[in-house]
């Protein structure tokens, strides 16, 4: 989709449909910008210097509803014009005479005028077509006469009556073109009077390569600045031309004539007869800012072409609107709202900004009808950004929309899954926004339920609320029995209920065990030191912890307690517990006579301070059992004296 314009409360969009390759179709929206109707298929497109899409559609300034477009027909590009915002399109009438005054043998529809509608990407070089709000009805463009748009034999063409008739200017389009915005005059070098009279003005004794033109639009400033260079190696030159001397006085009432806007003789354009004031040909006078160009605008009787085809309908050659091939005529054009809806069986809607009255207005305009009470259906629930995850403590906006049902009698209940819910009525067909903030992390089932006296409908989604993980600690036994199941637990700060993913590696395994819980059971089969690595992924953060677990066929353990004064020095950090464990291990080795490599000490976190002593076997298992029985009693009576 390429947006052409969004002014006048309406969207003009060029859309590439499934059956188009190098062309686009022009679509026109309704007032809310929700439903679009196709106006003209197969628009010509091209690419700019930066690769940007350029669509050959041009809205003429100063005259409402006037659009010019280039359409591809049988491999040829043809220029069309519309006076009613795309309801009807027609070819451009070519000039009757050439620049030498001879008749032009060119008759519609096999031969017509074609215009280049490219807007310059350089603000200092002229466009191929130019119109101004301050000069309604005047169109200046480059183009050609013939069966199709061509880049050869191009010329410059001017229309003074909004594109109904054209005349060719006896100059190359390479000449610099501009328009004095407040005076309805075209200036080519110093040419005046809408291109009817031409005089030559020399502003430099040395030939100048012109790079661009600069002027202030929509002002009374009549100074144009040319900038360029005398040669490819010279510096830039600036030349200012003051055209104010060409206008000797201010305009008076006798300097004007009326001009009636029309479409091939039809004086009702956009539902009204519009009369403009413009200077008489050859009059050289200036217009003040207070000058009003529209003299009168009288409403016309509504006709078929004051209406456009509604959503799902397309205009036929007969002028009537018929359902498009993809549209199900059994479906209502609009859903019910407040117990009523617009039902348009003829497929028409009035053209935006059209001012016609009476006539077919009552026949073709949509009527307000009472809807049959129906149960709500098509309830849709989503987040405004379509994401199903959010960070704890941020505002989350949900959108709830009801496709069918009487919104006036339907109530909506939204349960956020964290013990908080809201209820309200008067649901919007386009969607309502509801904002909520979660206070805890987790996975929450959000449910919306619409209900009235005829039934109900519901919709739900699962939302992941996460917060960054700050720390992970792997809680695991120091020693385990080979072949016996051991429990391992990953502790997170802050806790992440159901929103974290855990990855476990045992020894040199390449594929992890993936769990959604922070605890697993594992059976170690290899005696000796075994490594366990756990990673946690939550809220875009990944952390890990590693533990070495000693695996034996047999071991003895003993719980240790300490003097109460040790608690005064316990900072509850892992490094302190490791230091205490090393001291206890060395002390017990000296007191009890065990080699240090057969002793392991694990100090528990928290207070009061406690620990567990593990005594590992020697190679001779029977000798180890008799030896430890004698010395365990000695360790029980001496271990508290280590502190």
């Amino acid at each position: 989709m390429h947006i052409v314009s969004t002014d006048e409360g309406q969207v003009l969009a060029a859309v590439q449909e499934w059956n188009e390759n190098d062309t686009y179709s022009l679509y026109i929206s309704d007032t809310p910008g929700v439903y679009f109707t196709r106006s003209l298929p197969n628009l010509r497109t091209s690419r700019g210097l930066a690769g940007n899409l350029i669509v050959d559609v041009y809205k003429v300034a100063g005259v409402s509803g006037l659009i010019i477009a280039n359409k591809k027909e049988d491999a040829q590009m043809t220029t069309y014009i519309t006076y009613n915002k795309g309801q009807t399109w027609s070819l451009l009438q070519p000039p009757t005479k050439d620049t030498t005054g001879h008749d032009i043998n060119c008759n519609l529809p096999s031969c017509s005028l074609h215009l280049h509608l490219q807007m310059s990407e350089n603000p200092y070089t002229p466009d191929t077509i130019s119109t101004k709000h301050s000069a309604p009805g005047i169109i200046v463009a480059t183009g050609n006469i013939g069966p199709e748009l061509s880049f050869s034999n191009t010329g410059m063409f001017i229309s003074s009556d909004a594109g109904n008739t054209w005349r060719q200017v006896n100059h190359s389009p390479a000449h610099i073109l501009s328009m004095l915005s407040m005076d309805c005059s075209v200036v080519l070098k110093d040419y005046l009077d809408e291109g009817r009279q031409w005089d030559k003005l020399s502003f430099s004794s040395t030939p100048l390569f012109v790079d661009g033109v600069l002027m202030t639009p929509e002002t009374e400033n009549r100074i144009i600045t040319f900038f360029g260079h005398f040669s490819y190696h010279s510096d830039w030159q600036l030349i200012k031309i003051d055209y104010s001397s060409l206008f000797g006085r201010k305009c008076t009432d006798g300097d004007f004539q009326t001009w009636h806007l029309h479409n091939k003789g039809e004086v009702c354009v956009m539902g009204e007869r519009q009369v403009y004031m413009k200077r008489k040909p050859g009059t050289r006078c200036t217009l003040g800012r207070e000058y009003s160009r529209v003299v009168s605008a009288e409403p016309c009787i509504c006709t078929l072409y004051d209406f456009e085809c509604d959503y799902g309908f397309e205009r036929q050659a007969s002028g009537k609107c018929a359902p498009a091939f993809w549209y199900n005529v059994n479906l209502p054009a609009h859903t019910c709202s407040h117990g009523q809806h617009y039902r348009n069986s003829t497929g028409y809607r009035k053209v935006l900004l059209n001012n016609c009255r009476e006539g077919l207005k009552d026949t073709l305009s949509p009527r307000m009808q009472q809807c049959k009470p129906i149960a709500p259906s098509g309830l849709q629930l989503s987040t405004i950004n379509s994401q199903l995850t959010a960070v704890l403590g941020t505002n989350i906006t949900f959108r709830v929309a009801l496709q069918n049902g009487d919104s006036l009698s339907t109530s909506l209940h939204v349960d956020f899954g964290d013990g908080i819910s809201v209820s309200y009525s008067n649901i919007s067909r386009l969607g309502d926004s509801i904002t909520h903030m979660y206070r805890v992390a987790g996975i929450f089932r959000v449910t919306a339920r619409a209900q009235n006296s005829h039934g109900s409908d519901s919709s739900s989604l699962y939302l992941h609320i996460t917060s960054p993980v700050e720390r992970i600690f792997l809680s695991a036994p120091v020693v385990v029995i080979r072949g016996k199941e051991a429990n391992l637990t990953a502790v997170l700060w802050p806790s992440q209920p159901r929103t974290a993913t855990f990855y476990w590696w045992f020894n040199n395994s390449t594929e992890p065990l993936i769990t959604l819980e922070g605890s697993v059971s594992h059976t170690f089969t290899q005696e000796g030191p075994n490594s366990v690595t756990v990673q946690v992924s939550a809220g875009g953060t990944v952390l890990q912890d590693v533990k070495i677990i000693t695996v034996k066929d047999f071991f003895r353990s003993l719980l240790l307690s300490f003097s109460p004064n040790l608690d005064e020095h316990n900072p509850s950090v892992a490094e302190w517990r490791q230091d205490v464990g090393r001291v206890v291990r060395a002390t017990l080795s000296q007191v009890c006579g065990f080699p240090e490599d057969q002793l392991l000490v694990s100090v528990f976190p928290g207070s009061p301070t406690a620990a567990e002593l593990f005594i590992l076997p020697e190679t001779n298992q029977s000798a180890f059992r008799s030896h430890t029985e004698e010395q365990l009693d000695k360790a029980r009576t001496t271990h508290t004296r280590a502190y």
Side-chain angles (χ1 to χ4, degrees), residues 517-533:
E517 299 292 337
S519 298
V520 296
S521 297
H522 183 72
T523 301
F524 294 89
T525 59
Q526 181 179 344
E527 189 176 12
N530 285 250
S531 67
V532 178
T533 301

Side-chain angles (χ1 to χ4, degrees), residues 576-601:
W576 183 86
R577 293 193 295 270
Q578 293 172 0
D579 290 341
V580 171
R582 283 192 290 268
V583 173
V584 172
R585 177 185 178 189
T587 302
L588 290 178
S589 176
Q590 295 176 2
V591 174
C592 302
F594 280 105
E596 280 195 40
D597 58 359
Q598 289 182 237
L599 297 178
L600 294 175
V601 178

Side-chain angles (χ1 to χ4, degrees), residues 6 44 67-68 160 208 236 250 261 360 364 398 430 453 458 460 472 496 556 639:
T6 57
R44 178 181 181 268
I67 305 172
I68 303 176
S160 299
L208 178 71
W236 273 10
K250 275 197 171 186
L261 175 65
L360 295 178
L364 299 181
F398 297 91
L430 301 180
S453 59
S458 61
S460 61
I472 182 175
Q496 299 282 327
R556 291 291 182 89
H639 71 273

Side-chain angles (χ1 to χ4, degrees), residues 320-540:
K320 295 183 178 181
C321 294
F325 73 93
W326 50 266
Y327 184 66
N328 185 352
V329 295
N330 296 319
L331 295 177
H334 300 286
T335 55
C336 291
S337 176
H338 300 291
Q340 296 176 324
H341 74 110
Y342 288 105
R343 181 60 176 260
N344 191 351
S345 59
T346 58
Y348 288 92
R349 66 188 180 205
K350 192 176 179 182
V351 175
L352 187 65
L353 300 182
N354 187 291
N355 294 318
C356 71
R357 296 180 182 177
E358 301 176 348
L360 295 178
K361 182 178 180 181
D362 294 336
T363 304
L364 299 181
S365 295
R367 297 182 180 88
M368 189 76 81
Q369 297 178 351
Q370 188 72 26
C371 288
K372 293 182 179 180
I374 59 174
S377 63
L379 185 65
Q380 299 175 345
L381 172 65
S382 64
T383 59
I384 197 169
N385 58 2
S386 301
Q387 300 296 317
L388 295 178
T389 181
V391 178
L392 181 67
T394 59
N395 283 323
I396 303 161
T397 302
F398 297 91
R399 182 172 291 277
V400 184
L402 183 64
Q403 290 185 340
N404 301 295
D406 179 9
S407 62
L408 187 63
S409 62
T410 301
S411 62
L412 180 68
H413 181 80
V414 180
D415 187 341
F416 298 108
D418 61 348
I420 300 176
S421 60
V422 296
S423 297
Y424 66 97
S425 58
N426 193 14
I427 308 171
S428 170
R429 176 171 60 89
L430 301 180
D432 293 322
S433 297
I434 308 171
T435 301
H436 182 65
M437 179 185 294
Y438 288 86
R439 302 298 180 182
V440 295
I443 302 177
F444 300 92
R445 184 175 187 263
V446 185
T447 304
R449 182 178 180 84
Q451 187 171 8
N452 60 22
S453 59
H454 299 278
S456 62
D457 192 19
S458 61
S459 179
S460 61
L461 58 83
Y462 293 90
L463 186 66
H464 293 239
I465 303 298
T466 63
S467 63
V469 180
E470 298 176 3
R471 190 156 49 100
I472 182 175
F473 172 76
L474 176 57
S475 176
V478 178
V479 185
V480 299
I481 298 295
R482 183 170 63 172
K484 187 177 181 180
E485 197 173 69
N487 295 324
L488 310 172
T489 301
V491 183
L492 304 182
W493 288 272
S495 62
Q496 299 282 327
R498 298 180 300 171
T499 61
T501 304
F502 298 88
Y503 303 84
W504 305 82
W505 287 270
F506 301 95
N507 287 330
N508 297 322
S509 59
T510 57
E511 293 296 327
L513 171 66
I514 303 175
T515 66
L516 298 178
E517 299 292 337
S519 298
V520 296
S521 297
H522 183 72
T523 301
F524 294 89
T525 59
Q526 181 179 344
E527 189 176 12
N530 285 250
S531 67
V532 178
T533 301
V534 61
Q535 285 187 349
V536 60
S537 175

